[in-house]
Amino acid sequence: MEEFHNVETDSLLFEKISEKVRKHPIVIVGLPGIGLVGKIVADYLIKQLKAKKFAIFYSPAFPPQVIMKRNGKVRMLSYRFYHANVSSKEFIFLVGDIQPFDSDWQHGVCKGLLEYLSKFDPKEIITIGGYGTNQFVQKPRVLGAANAQVEIEEYKKLGVVFGEARGSIIGAAGLFVAMSRFYGIPAICLMGETHGAYVDANAAKAVLEIIAKRFKLKIDYSELEKKVQLTERAMREIEEELKKMQQPKEKENLNYFR
Amino acid sequence: MEEFHNVETDSLLFEKISEKVRKHPIVIVGLPGIGLVGKIVADYLIKQLKAKKFAIFYSPAFPPQVIMKRNGKVRMLSYRFYHANVSSKEFIFLVGDIQPFDSDWQHGVCKGLLEYLSKFDPKEIITIGGYGTNQFVQKPRVLGAANAQVEIEEYKKLGVVFGEARGSIIGAAGLFVAMSRFYGIPAICLMGETHGAYVDANAAKAVLEIIAKRFKLKIDYSELEKKVQLTERAMREIEEELKKMQQPKEKENLNYFR
Amino acid sequence: MEEFHNVETDSLLFEKISEKVRKHPIVIVGLPGIGLVGKIVADYLIKQLKAKKFAIFYSPAFPPQVIMKRNGKVRMLSYRFYHANVSSKEFIFLVGDIQPFDSDWQHGVCKGLLEYLSKFDPKEIITIGGYGTNQFVQKPRVLGAANAQVEIEEYKKLGVVFGEARGSIIGAAGLFVAMSRFYGIPAICLMGETHGAYVDANAAKAVLEIIAKRFKLKIDYSELEKKVQLTERAMREIEEELKKMQQPKEKENLNYFR
Amino acid sequence: MEEFHNVETDSLLFEKISEKVRKHPIVIVGLPGIGLVGKIVADYLIKQLKAKKFAIFYSPAFPPQVIMKRNGKVRMLSYRFYHANVSSKEFIFLVGDIQPFDSDWQHGVCKGLLEYLSKFDPKEIITIGGYGTNQFVQKPRVLGAANAQVEIEEYKKLGVVFGEARGSIIGAAGLFVAMSRFYGIPAICLMGETHGAYVDANAAKAVLEIIAKRFKLKIDYSELEKKVQLTERAMREIEEELKKMQQPKEKENLNYFR
């Protein structure tokens, strides 16, 4: 069996793989959410920057199911921490399978993760999400919501739009930003405009460009472009299916009442 | 980043902004509920008495969502404490965004807040609510339900009606009054009669007048009157929509079965 | 304000009114359940034996609502303990407003109450319930389910039927009996046969007669007979309403599709 | 009353009946799940190997209901531990009435049971389940998913298929395997292919044969064959009912709209 060390924090379980993470990292959080924008962005950066997994996080907040892998093994639903050092900047990426459903577990998991991350004394936490518009967006803007004025100033320069997003950010992307203030960590949520009903690599690209500019990263978008095309096709198919659904249900009714 | 001090009580988090609250305050609680009567009354008093925010309360009982503000920042759902000193009377106002859904969280949050408030040794706790009548009420009465005979006597003199409200008070407005007894604090729930299906400034005014008489406060109702007019118009619109909804759904059926 | 002493056990809150309860009592539990048989029996015994309230129990497991009383006061949902001494036998009665919905709270409340009761070292715990038959029962039998052979022997002599009730006892009436074993207390659930869809004083009488025989109590059934008549009339009305409901919904359909 | 010893672990309650379990057992877990395959296999092995009950486990995670037994007694929903020593191999069987519904309780119960089992220092944990195919399976295969390569090698030799099962294992059968890694215990989930909509003794037999081969057990399948025939008949009846359900609901509609 593989070796592992684990540290338990209340009902959270961390499995450490490596401890070579440097202090003062930039943390990028991409959990499942609207348009899967956050997930695509974080996964893409992990691949592009060749980030290495250094910790796994398990929680009773996740559904009691295990994923069967192609190699015959199982793995629990988890959040995974990766890190990469690019031009003397340390990055931590947090990705995962799912978000907890219950309010108190969302708060509990978020607090547990922030307490873990705060040990590395992060410079900044960036959460990625989608901003649902219910419309096809040709040129998605990136909307921002931060916990400190310094973040707003920094990202305004890069073209991020503040004060125009309406309503609430639901789930971890928002909670991380708000709760980071209690740990004294500047944090921002970057939201790519997206339809909301499909996986949107286009919105992901818009966010990736902001991050690349901010940290002077060279990102090869060629793989993402392929994803964008696939996503656009998927989108058109969904829209056509939606149209069909809105047409009168004649056939079904005939069938049902014959 | 802004400075802040926080005190954690189990799963409740208090953020102190100021500690200049005087002892023996009168506490007025206006949380979201029927007709938003409680919320309107407390918000209006905060504005009229120029009350100052002195503490914020966060809880995992609240939904995991953050509100995006016009200035580009986020804020968590919260309960907020204000205080004001008027003719040598100290007032504390408790207002908030939402009430917890789960039974145990309702009890837990209420207990946490009462423990916090009991440090100031309150003279009296007044919770404000609406008493739903399902009818348009021209001259709303104020109904009362208290945890001590002394409260009943005091408010009867001011025209509050006791023993006529039927059934249960659901949520914080009732729980605060009942649980205050365990802390030895006299408490009363003042309920303005209201339709229940719309925001009712008219019921709010009836409650405000009782509070003004009780504590000899001068309240300028001119802004509230404007609210009352807006509310009445909104009410008529809702009633008309409700009437339409009760008419036979001919068109929809034709459409559905054609 | 009234004086009170309270003892807190985790998330349970006991309010003691008197401590003059004698050791080795017979405990009779009548909480809301099928046909309200348990509630009727316990309430009737409390009245007949002139039992006195000696403790109140509150729990975050109960819905966050307070009942408005005719005298203008509020009271929280609660479980109430009464005691009476009849021909040198000490009786404790446990009655209440509601049962918790969640599994863990049901177990938690039951455990909390048994820990409290076990301090009095009870001779026996009797829970009262209804056994739903979905039919009108002319001469309801009393079915029994116990946690010890000694109980079965004792109640068989009195006409209680064992081994014929099928399935599960849901809620406190069953859990109390099963969990009493962990405290070394003999316990039995007495179930009066009842339709299940209405309040059944007739089933209650059958159970009362068993308890009267067992403890040589003189019970005046005249008030209960009145209740039985009222209950039977209510039952017939419900049955007629049920019949109407099973007839084809012609009028409604015509109305709905016109 | 019967004697009993109990050990409490947080909210879990263990009742020990005997402690004569030998160290380094093989643990076989058969809890209710798809096709009741796990339950049939474990129950059948307990009977065939004349295993003896040595511990009972209760939890607030289980529904608050008690089962009425034919002998007039009640029993709580529980998990039961049996053990048997066959040709100097110690076996532990874990069977039970139900699985917890809530995510956190599933994790909590699984952790509690693994902590208890780890005291015996198990050689291996085998959980049994069904793999739902939504089709009638003539010759069910046994699919495997393990937490260690050594398990995969061992069971591949016996004909178990790895890497072909898709998706997730929901509930205890999967969680036990994944969480066993934290206790350093090799574990595997054996899944008999089954329709999923009926109790399947046929799939159970396929799994039993693997276990018999693995541990050189002699199993008399004659009783199971009877079960297989009963199961197949039940299956055909269900399929016919399903066909009827898919036919146009003419009669009901006529009735409903007349």
Side-chain angles (χ1 to χ4, degrees):
Chain A
M1 307 206 72
E2 307 94 308
E3 234 186 325
F4 67 89
H5 314 267
N6 66 63
V7 183
E8 209 169 324
T9 323
D10 280 325
S11 50
L12 313 175
L13 183 74
F14 283 96
E15 184 177 335
K16 281 183 213 166
I17 292 165
S18 146
E19 302 202 34
K20 292 172 195 161
V21 181
R22 290 178 214 182
K23 282 263 180 173
H24 314 304
I26 295 133
V27 178
I28 294 176
V29 179
L31 294 171
I34 295 166
L36 291 186
V37 175
K39 194 176 166 51
I40 293 176
V41 166
D43 283 349
Y44 204 76
L45 284 170
I46 285 168
K47 216 178 164 192
Q48 286 273 317
L49 306 187
K50 296 185 176 60
K52 299 228 171 319
K53 186 154 69 176
F54 69 93
I56 307 174
F57 162 80
Y58 306 100
S59 168
F62 301 150
Q65 62 189 71
V66 300
I67 291 166
M68 293 183 276
K69 298 197 286 186
R70 299 257 158 167
N71 66 2
K73 293 200 182 169
V74 295
R75 73 168 186 80
M76 289 171 75
L77 299 180
S78 65
Y79 282 7
R80 285 145 335 253
F81 291 86
Y82 290 79
H83 72 121
N85 200 279
V86 185
S87 45
S88 76
K89 283 192 203 79
E90 184 77 1
F91 288 92
I92 287 181
F93 300 100
L94 170 55
V95 293
D97 298 306
I98 202 161
Q99 293 202 23
F101 297 122
D102 293 332
S103 291
D104 46 354
W105 273 116
Q106 271 275 21
H107 285 85
V109 164
C110 196
K111 196 183 162 193
L113 294 173
L114 278 170
E115 255 155 40
Y116 177 67
L117 285 168
S118 65
K119 287 172 198 163
F120 302 110
D121 199 5
K123 263 194 237 168
E124 184 184 353
I125 293 181
I126 302 157
T127 70
I128 317 289
Y131 184 76
T133 57
N134 249 325
Q135 286 179 321
F136 175 66
V137 185
Q138 200 79 38
K139 280 204 157 186
R141 297 178 301 168
V142 175
L143 305 175
N147 72 356
Q149 194 58 35
V150 61
E151 289 289 288
I152 295 172
E153 305 304 338
E154 196 68 54
Y155 283 90
K156 229 177 212 167
K157 287 187 234 163
L158 306 168
V160 174
V161 178
F162 288 88
E164 289 201 18
R166 290 280 165 278
S168 289
I169 307 171
I170 291 166
L175 219 50
F176 256 99
V177 174
M179 289 178 72
S180 289
R181 193 165 70 86
F182 300 126
Y183 296 86
I185 309 168
I188 186 165
C189 179
L190 296 177
M191 293 164 280
E193 284 185 315
T194 182
H195 185 291
Y198 55 91
V199 180
D200 189 354
N202 209 14
K205 197 187 171 193
V207 177
L208 276 170
E209 284 170 344
I210 298 291
I211 291 172
K213 262 198 266 178
R214 170 84 163 104
F215 301 109
K216 298 183 178 62
L217 300 173
K218 276 178 194 160
I219 294 174
D220 171 9
Y221 295 101
S222 58
E223 290 287 309
L224 193 72
E225 290 296 347
K226 211 185 288 172
K227 274 199 178 177
V228 172
Q229 283 164 31
L230 286 167
T231 304
E232 284 191 320
R233 205 182 305 158
M235 177 208 70
R236 263 183 247 113
E237 283 169 18
I238 288 169
E239 283 212 339
E240 267 160 42
E241 272 181 49
L242 280 170
K243 268 185 214 158
K244 275 186 218 157
M245 278 175 63
Q246 283 156 1
Q247 283 163 14
K249 302 188 173 194
E250 283 164 57
K251 272 191 174 165
E252 287 87 331
N253 287 330
L254 282 173
N255 193 35
Y256 192 76
F257 289 107
R258 73 185 167 185
Chain B
M1 304 208 73
E2 307 94 308
E3 235 187 325
F4 67 90
H5 313 267
N6 66 64
V7 183
E8 209 170 323
T9 322
D10 280 324
S11 50
L12 313 174
L13 183 75
F14 282 96
E15 184 177 335
K16 281 183 214 164
I17 292 164
S18 147
E19 302 201 35
K20 292 172 193 161
V21 180
R22 291 178 211 182
K23 282 264 181 175
H24 314 305
I26 295 134
V27 178
I28 294 177
V29 179
L31 294 170
I34 295 167
L36 292 186
V37 176
K39 193 175 166 52
I40 292 176
V41 167
D43 282 349
Y44 204 77
L45 284 169
I46 285 168
K47 215 178 164 191
Q48 287 273 316
L49 306 186
K50 296 185 177 58
K52 298 228 171 322
K53 187 152 70 173
F54 69 94
I56 307 174
F57 162 79
Y58 306 100
S59 168
F62 300 150
Q65 62 189 72
V66 300
I67 290 167
M68 293 183 276
K69 298 198 284 187
R70 299 259 158 168
N71 65 2
K73 293 201 183 171
V74 295
R75 72 168 187 80
M76 290 173 74
L77 299 179
S78 66
Y79 282 7
R80 290 159 311 268
F81 292 86
Y82 290 79
H83 73 120
N85 201 279
V86 185
S87 44
S88 75
K89 283 193 202 81
E90 183 78 1
F91 289 91
I92 286 181
F93 300 99
L94 170 55
V95 292
D97 298 305
I98 203 161
Q99 293 202 23
F101 297 122
D102 293 333
S103 291
D104 47 354
W105 273 117
Q106 271 275 21
H107 285 85
V109 165
C110 196
K111 196 183 162 192
L113 295 173
L114 278 170
E115 255 154 41
Y116 176 68
L117 285 168
S118 65
K119 287 172 199 163
F120 302 109
D121 199 5
K123 264 195 238 168
E124 184 183 355
I125 293 180
I126 302 157
T127 69
I128 317 289
Y131 184 76
T133 57
N134 249 326
Q135 284 178 323
F136 175 66
V137 185
Q138 199 79 40
K139 280 204 157 186
R141 295 179 303 170
V142 175
L143 306 175
N147 73 356
Q149 195 58 35
V150 61
E151 290 288 288
I152 296 172
E153 305 303 339
E154 196 69 54
Y155 284 89
K156 229 177 211 168
K157 287 186 237 162
L158 305 168
V160 174
V161 178
F162 289 89
E164 289 201 19
R166 290 282 165 274
S168 291
I169 307 171
I170 292 166
L175 219 49
F176 256 98
V177 174
M179 289 178 73
S180 290
R181 193 167 68 86
F182 300 126
Y183 296 85
I185 307 168
I188 187 166
C189 178
L190 296 177
M191 292 165 280
E193 284 186 315
T194 182
H195 186 291
Y198 55 91
V199 180
D200 188 355
N202 208 13
K205 196 187 171 193
V207 177
L208 275 169
E209 285 170 344
I210 298 290
I211 291 171
K213 262 198 266 177
R214 171 83 163 106
F215 300 109
K216 299 183 177 60
L217 300 173
K218 276 177 194 161
I219 295 175
D220 170 8
Y221 295 101
S222 58
E223 290 288 308
L224 194 71
E225 290 297 345
K226 211 185 289 175
K227 274 199 179 179
V228 173
Q229 283 164 30
L230 285 167
T231 304
E232 283 191 321
R233 203 182 307 158
M235 177 208 71
R236 264 184 247 113
E237 282 169 19
I238 288 169
E239 283 211 339
E240 267 159 43
E241 272 181 51
L242 281 169
K243 267 186 213 158
K244 275 186 218 158
M245 277 174 65
Q246 283 157 2
Q247 282 163 14
K249 303 188 173 192
E250 285 165 56
K251 273 193 173 163
E252 286 89 331
N253 288 329
L254 281 174
N255 194 36
Y256 193 76
F257 288 108
R258 74 184 166 185
Chain C
M1 304 207 72
E2 306 95 311
E3 234 185 325
F4 68 89
H5 314 267
N6 67 63
V7 183
E8 209 170 323
T9 322
D10 280 323
S11 49
L12 314 173
L13 183 75
F14 283 96
E15 184 177 335
K16 282 182 213 164
I17 293 163
S18 146
E19 302 201 35
K20 292 171 193 162
V21 180
R22 291 178 211 182
K23 281 263 180 176
H24 315 303
I26 295 132
V27 179
I28 294 177
V29 179
L31 294 171
I34 295 167
L36 292 186
V37 175
K39 192 175 166 52
I40 293 176
V41 168
D43 282 349
Y44 204 76
L45 285 169
I46 285 168
K47 214 178 164 191
Q48 286 274 317
L49 306 186
K50 296 184 177 59
K52 298 229 172 320
K53 187 154 68 175
F54 69 93
I56 307 173
F57 162 80
Y58 307 100
S59 169
F62 300 151
Q65 63 189 72
V66 301
I67 291 167
M68 293 183 277
K69 297 197 287 187
R70 299 259 158 167
N71 65 3
K73 292 201 183 171
V74 295
R75 73 167 186 80
M76 289 171 74
L77 299 181
S78 66
Y79 282 8
R80 291 158 312 267
F81 291 86
Y82 290 79
H83 72 121
N85 200 278
V86 185
S87 46
S88 75
K89 282 192 205 82
E90 183 78 1
F91 289 91
I92 286 180
F93 299 100
L94 171 54
V95 292
D97 298 304
I98 203 161
Q99 293 202 22
F101 296 122
D102 293 332
S103 291
D104 46 354
W105 273 116
Q106 271 276 20
H107 285 85
V109 165
C110 196
K111 196 183 163 193
L113 294 173
L114 278 170
E115 255 154 42
Y116 177 67
L117 285 168
S118 65
K119 286 172 200 165
F120 302 109
D121 199 5
K123 264 195 236 167
E124 184 184 355
I125 293 179
I126 301 156
T127 70
I128 317 289
Y131 184 76
T133 56
N134 248 326
Q135 285 178 321
F136 175 67
V137 185
Q138 199 78 41
K139 280 204 155 184
R141 298 178 302 168
V142 175
L143 306 176
N147 72 356
Q149 195 57 36
V150 62
E151 290 289 288
I152 295 172
E153 305 304 338
E154 196 68 53
Y155 284 89
K156 230 177 211 168
K157 287 187 239 163
L158 306 169
V160 174
V161 179
F162 289 88
E164 290 201 19
R166 291 282 166 275
S168 290
I169 307 170
I170 290 166
L175 218 51
F176 255 98
V177 174
M179 288 178 73
S180 290
R181 194 166 68 85
F182 301 126
Y183 296 85
I185 308 167
I188 187 166
C189 178
L190 296 177
M191 292 164 281
E193 284 185 315
T194 183
H195 186 291
Y198 55 91
V199 180
D200 188 355
N202 209 13
K205 196 187 171 194
V207 176
L208 275 169
E209 285 170 343
I210 298 290
I211 291 171
K213 263 198 265 177
R214 171 81 164 108
F215 300 108
K216 297 182 180 61
L217 301 172
K218 277 178 193 159
I219 294 174
D220 171 8
Y221 295 101
S222 59
E223 291 286 311
L224 193 71
E225 290 296 347
K226 212 184 292 174
K227 274 200 179 179
V228 172
Q229 284 164 30
L230 285 168
T231 305
E232 283 190 321
R233 203 181 309 156
M235 179 207 68
R236 264 183 248 115
E237 282 169 18
I238 288 168
E239 283 211 340
E240 268 159 42
E241 272 181 50
L242 280 169
K243 268 186 214 158
K244 275 186 219 157
M245 276 174 63
Q246 282 155 4
Q247 283 164 13
K249 302 187 173 195
E250 285 164 55
K251 272 191 173 164
E252 287 87 332
N253 288 330
L254 282 173
N255 194 35
Y256 193 75
F257 289 107
R258 73 184 166 185
Chain D
M1 305 208 72
E2 308 92 310
E3 231 186 327
F4 66 89
H5 314 268
N6 67 61
V7 183
E8 210 170 322
T9 323
D10 280 324
S11 49
L12 313 174
L13 183 74
F14 283 96
E15 184 177 335
K16 282 182 212 165
I17 292 162
S18 147
E19 301 202 35
K20 292 173 194 161
V21 181
R22 291 178 213 182
K23 281 264 181 174
H24 314 303
I26 295 132
V27 179
I28 294 176
V29 179
L31 294 171
I34 295 166
L36 292 185
V37 176
K39 192 175 166 53
I40 293 176
V41 167
D43 282 349
Y44 204 76
L45 284 169
I46 285 168
K47 215 178 165 190
Q48 285 274 317
L49 306 186
K50 296 183 177 60
K52 300 228 171 321
K53 187 153 69 176
F54 69 93
I56 306 174
F57 162 80
Y58 306 100
S59 169
F62 301 151
Q65 62 189 72
V66 301
I67 291 166
M68 292 183 277
K69 297 198 287 187
R70 298 258 158 169
N71 65 3
K73 292 200 183 171
V74 295
R75 72 166 187 81
M76 288 172 75
L77 299 181
S78 66
Y79 282 7
R80 293 161 305 272
F81 291 86
Y82 290 79
H83 72 120
N85 200 278
V86 186
S87 46
S88 75
K89 282 192 204 80
E90 183 78 1
F91 288 91
I92 286 180
F93 299 99
L94 170 54
V95 293
D97 297 306
I98 203 162
Q99 292 202 22
F101 296 122
D102 292 333
S103 291
D104 46 353
W105 273 116
Q106 271 275 20
H107 285 86
V109 165
C110 196
K111 195 183 163 191
L113 294 172
L114 278 170
E115 255 153 42
Y116 177 67
L117 286 168
S118 65
K119 287 172 197 163
F120 302 110
D121 199 5
K123 264 196 237 166
E124 185 183 351
I125 292 180
I126 301 157
T127 69
I128 317 289
Y131 185 78
T133 57
N134 248 327
Q135 285 179 322
F136 175 66
V137 185
Q138 200 79 39
K139 282 204 154 186
R141 297 179 301 168
V142 175
L143 305 175
N147 73 355
Q149 194 57 34
V150 62
E151 288 289 287
I152 295 172
E153 304 304 339
E154 197 67 56
Y155 284 89
K156 228 177 213 168
K157 287 187 238 163
L158 306 168
V160 174
V161 178
F162 288 89
E164 289 201 18
R166 290 281 166 275
S168 290
I169 307 170
I170 291 166
L175 219 50
F176 255 99
V177 174
M179 287 177 74
S180 290
R181 193 166 69 86
F182 300 126
Y183 297 86
I185 308 168
I188 187 165
C189 178
L190 295 177
M191 292 164 281
E193 284 185 315
T194 182
H195 185 292
Y198 55 90
V199 180
D200 189 354
N202 209 14
K205 198 189 170 194
V207 176
L208 275 170
E209 284 171 343
I210 297 289
I211 291 171
K213 262 199 268 178
R214 170 83 164 106
F215 300 109
K216 298 184 178 62
L217 301 172
K218 276 179 194 159
I219 295 173
D220 170 9
Y221 295 101
S222 58
E223 291 286 310
L224 193 71
E225 290 295 347
K226 210 184 291 172
K227 274 199 180 179
V228 173
Q229 283 163 31
L230 286 167
T231 305
E232 284 191 320
R233 204 182 307 157
M235 178 208 68
R236 263 183 249 114
E237 284 169 16
I238 288 168
E239 284 211 339
E240 268 160 41
E241 272 181 50
L242 280 170
K243 268 186 213 156
K244 274 185 219 158
M245 276 174 64
Q246 283 155 3
Q247 283 164 13
K249 301 188 172 193
E250 285 164 55
K251 273 191 173 166
E252 287 88 329
N253 288 329
L254 282 172
N255 194 36
Y256 194 76
F257 289 107
R258 74 186 166 184

